[in-house]
Amino acid sequence: MSDLPNCPECGSEYTYQDGGNYVCPECGHEWSASDSEAAEDQQPVVRDAVGNVLNDGDTVTVIKDLKIKGSSSVVKVGTKVKNIRLVDGDHDIDCKIPGIGAMGLKSEFVKKV
């Protein structure tokens, strides 16, 4: 298998190297090999409301009442959420909230315990 990185624009796995650059045949995006190596070393850091770095498996507390879209339920202030999982996207925490179930949270509404 190829050890070339996926395209940062469209995620295509069919990239190829052209001199010192990588090229995506699907979207036409070109980027330099040095940019790709720097991007692989850089992991996005997720921080809670007070600036603590969050990791997979952490326990957090909700700091604000959160209405659940499409439901009359509310996640109350002080609700502890164990074993979080960090994901990419707008809601950067996936978790299971006791009494409610699986849910996505934004890191700005939680505090690390």
Side-chain angles (χ1 to χ4, degrees):
M1 282 296 190
S2 174
D3 60 342
L4 296 175
N6 291 350
C7 176
E9 292 292 316
C10 68
S12 172
E13 59 187 27
Y14 302 111
T15 58
Y16 62 91
Q17 193 165 8
D18 183 25
N21 291 334
Y22 293 119
V23 180
C24 175
E26 292 185 6
C27 70
H29 180 67
E30 294 184 24
W31 69 101
S32 70
S34 61
D35 291 344
S36 179
E37 292 167 3
E40 289 176 3
D41 295 341
Q42 187 180 28
Q43 294 289 330
V45 176
V46 178
R47 296 184 183 273
D48 67 1
V50 293
N52 298 321
V53 176
L54 296 174
N55 298 309
D56 286 344
D58 283 346
T59 300
V60 295
T61 303
V62 178
I63 62 167
K64 178 183 175 185
D65 281 348
L66 301 173
K67 294 180 182 177
I68 299 175
K69 213 175 201 180
S71 172
S72 61
S73 301
V74 175
V75 179
K76 293 288 189 179
V77 171
T79 303
K80 276 192 178 179
V81 181
K82 297 178 182 178
N83 199 17
I84 65 170
R85 188 172 60 112
L86 302 177
V87 295
D88 290 334
D90 187 31
H91 292 77
D92 43 15
I93 298 173
D94 273 348
C95 60
K96 288 186 180 177
I97 298 178
I100 295 176
M103 190 171 188
L105 295 174
K106 292 185 178 184
S107 59
E108 63 195 67
F109 299 122
V110 298
K111 184 174 92 173
K112 189 173 181 178
V113 175

